[in-house]
Amino acid sequence: MQDIPERILKYIADHGEVDTLDLAAVFGEDHQKIVGGVKSIEATGELIQCVPSTRKSWKLTAEGRDILEHGSHEANVFKAVPQNGIPQAELMKCGGKNPKAGFSKAMSNGWILIDKSGGAPLVRRKVDTIEDEVLAHVKAIAEGKESAVPDGVKSEYKKRKILEESVTKSFILSKGPEFATTLKKLETDLTVEMLASGFEFKAYNFDALGAPPGRGQLHPLMKVRTEFRQIFLEMGFSEMPTNNFVESGFWNFDALYVPQQHPARDQQDTFFVSHPQMSDKFPLALVESVRDSHERGVDGSIGYRYDWKLDESRKNVLRTHTTGVSARMLYKVAHQPGGFKPVKYFSIDKVFRNETLDATHLAEFHQVEGVVADYGITLGDLIGTFNAFFNKLGITELEYKPTFNPYTEPSMEIFCFHPGLQRWIEVGNSGVFRPELLIPLGVPKEVNVIAWGLSLERPTMIKYGLNNIRDLIGPKVDLKMVQDGPICRMNC
């Protein structure tokens, strides 16, 4: 039997141009073996022309494979509804693997309804029969019939985490200037017998470079992080210690005047730590001051008027921001020997949020935290600090928009213009700390504190011309982008 390189040449001779992915299917071989055969052909001369190509395809996720086996969530919910109806709480127990999502979809599809006419609300069928289109589409994808599913439907299933899009790299092969159906090995070693017999030798390439030495490369994030840090130091800031990824709810939320019923404290937004689940690493005297601030308010405010619970404060979380570090540093400065003195702090470190991943969001990212505490500073000082900071980075297109934060008033979102995406993207949040946060920490009433939290990833995307944050960090990063990155950027 012919080896793979010769089979490839024979196929090109008979059929012309071909994609290596199609060749793998025709030959019944692994695609990497076909690519290896192509490399072997290229090493012997210009027998073929090889052009890189990419092909997008769809495949089922674990959720999609479960639907393929058991049917869609909405269909399972519909089947679980008897003719005489069922209470919604019971339906959630017997409506399949994901009854909450199935119930929502079944309602929007008009398959079921909530009947409140007979006293206790019941979920009833609105139609007699249904067609499980999701299951049909999933079967089509599993059978390789991607064209049978509309693009819009595939995008919706991607959001529902039923499908995922994969990109496969391949090569388009065609005949080259020296095309032949057999490989002729060119000799590289010289002997007397070869000279006498007239062997054809492989040409010497005197311009060939030697093997590059192995070396480490700095990731673009680390380069911009170093740049950020140097700018802050030049502006007179001191770096805060941020060596604790796990933070108590007290420092992460309560000390920042975030109410205990705030949506940010739900599991869909925050990662809670199961072991150790609780923490008591905060000053007990500060606990009472924070409790009073939440329940009754300070400095003329009325607080949130709810019963503040210590157990909620003790829960450990993966920190959702590094602002808790700022609060801890302000408490330390306010209680230092000699009393309060003006300070300027910054930090750059990882934070974690239970985010839906997309082109500009990750579940793990870097926050650039800054805080300035001094007498008489205002929102104008905050804007001036941003303008000076980003101008040093070469980013001049900035916008500020008012927003709401539980612990700052007034508050601003900072936007930078992304030339690649051709739109403004949010790079951070900022504002002036509220008295309800500062007074419990012991900061004098005459002192104002301006603070901000910026993204490290999004300014890096702008500076490096990247449109998708997943090309910068995460499992899909092309290491060649890191290895070939410039030592420095010349922004002319």
Side-chain angles (χ1 to χ4, degrees), residues 1-37:
M1 184 177 177
Q2 290 177 309
D3 59 14
I4 288 179
E6 291 187 346
R7 290 172 69 190
I8 293 173
L9 293 171
K10 180 71 167 58
Y11 190 92
I12 294 174
D14 295 341
H15 300 90
E17 185 176 279
V18 65
D19 192 308
T20 52
L21 286 172
D22 298 328
L23 270 182
V26 171
F27 292 170
E29 299 281 359
D30 183 75
H31 183 246
Q32 289 304 314
K33 285 188 177 181
I34 302 298
V35 173

Side-chain angles (χ1 to χ4, degrees), residues 1 27 55 77 117 126-127 139 247 281 299 305 318 364 377 390 422 428 444 466 476 487 492:
M1 184 177 177
F27 292 170
R55 183 181 295 184
V77 166
S117 60
K126 194 174 181 180
V127 295
K139 283 181 178 178
E247 192 75 89
K281 294 184 177 179
D299 196 36
R305 293 188 173 184
L318 285 180
E364 175 185 332
I377 55 176
F390 281 104
Q422 283 296 301
L466 298 173
K476 297 183 179 180
I487 296 174
C492 300

Side-chain angles (χ1 to χ4, degrees), residues 190-201:
L190 181 63
T191 65
V192 174
E193 292 78 11
M194 290 178 183
L195 288 172
S197 59
F199 261 82
E200 185 176 348
F201 294 96

Side-chain angles (χ1 to χ4, degrees), residues 82-348:
Q83 291 296 333
N84 57 348
I86 184 175
Q88 186 175 348
E90 291 184 26
L91 181 61
M92 292 297 106
K93 297 176 183 178
C94 61
K97 185 178 178 182
N98 194 342
K100 187 175 180 181
F103 180 84
S104 175
K105 284 293 179 183
M107 287 286 289
S108 63
N109 289 345
W111 294 352
I112 59 175
L113 55 82
I114 298 177
D115 183 6
K116 299 181 180 179
S117 60
L122 291 177
V123 179
R124 298 185 184 275
R125 292 188 177 186
K126 194 174 181 180
V127 295
D128 295 328
T129 60
I130 60 166
E131 183 177 339
D132 194 348
E133 287 189 355
V134 176
L135 178 59
H137 290 152
V138 165
K139 283 181 178 178
I141 295 293
E143 294 168 0
K145 301 174 183 177
E146 295 182 10
S147 58
V149 183
D151 291 340
V153 173
K154 284 186 281 196
S155 298
E156 180 192 346
Y157 291 168
K158 183 179 179 182
K159 291 179 182 177
R160 291 181 62 180
K161 298 183 180 179
I162 297 172
L163 301 180
E164 60 183 358
E165 193 175 17
S166 61
V167 178
T168 306
K169 294 182 180 180
S170 62
F171 298 93
I172 306 297
L173 309 179
S174 59
K175 294 179 180 179
E178 301 173 4
F179 182 78
T181 56
T182 57
L183 293 178
K184 186 176 181 181
K185 186 177 180 181
L186 301 177
E187 298 293 341
T188 57
D189 295 324
L190 181 63
T191 65
V192 174
E193 292 78 11
M194 290 178 183
L195 288 172
S197 59
F199 261 82
E200 185 176 348
F201 294 96
K202 186 176 182 179
Y204 282 100
N205 182 3
F206 294 104
D207 296 323
L209 299 175
R215 69 192 191 282
Q217 287 87 17
L218 284 175
H219 191 280
L221 270 180
M222 294 301 98
K223 294 178 183 178
V224 176
R225 184 187 188 280
T226 302
E227 195 172 352
F228 274 32
R229 185 174 183 274
Q230 186 60 38
I231 291 173
F232 276 121
L233 294 174
E234 289 175 359
M235 293 174 69
F237 284 75
S238 300
E239 192 163 10
M240 295 185 285
T242 54
N243 54 347
N244 52 319
F245 288 167
V246 176
E247 192 75 89
S248 67
F250 179 83
W251 284 115
N252 198 78
F253 297 118
D254 293 282
L256 300 178
Y257 197 58
V258 178
Q260 293 185 337
Q261 67 272 24
H262 195 279
R265 301 178 77 147
D266 293 340
Q267 288 188 353
Q268 64 262 31
D269 293 312
T270 301
F271 293 110
F272 286 84
V273 178
S274 58
H275 183 75
Q277 190 172 5
M278 297 291 189
S279 173
D280 293 303
K281 294 184 177 179
F282 36 82
L284 293 179
L286 178 58
V287 170
E288 293 307 315
S289 298
V290 169
R291 182 197 299 273
D292 288 343
S293 180
H294 280 246
E295 291 184 349
R296 291 180 286 276
V298 296
D299 196 36
S301 80
I302 61 174
Y304 291 119
R305 293 188 173 184
Y306 72 98
D307 291 330
W308 185 87
K309 295 178 176 62
L310 180 60
D311 284 346
E312 187 69 26
S313 241
R314 294 178 59 223
K315 292 180 181 178
N316 281 326
V317 299
L318 285 180
R319 65 184 181 200
T320 59
H321 47 213
T322 51
T323 312
V325 179
S326 297
R328 192 182 286 111
M329 294 301 293
L330 288 172
Y331 178 78
K332 183 178 178 181
V333 169
H335 292 83
Q336 66 186 341
F340 172 84
K341 294 181 178 61
V343 291
K344 297 165 70 175
Y345 287 130
F346 82 96
S347 66
I348 307 172

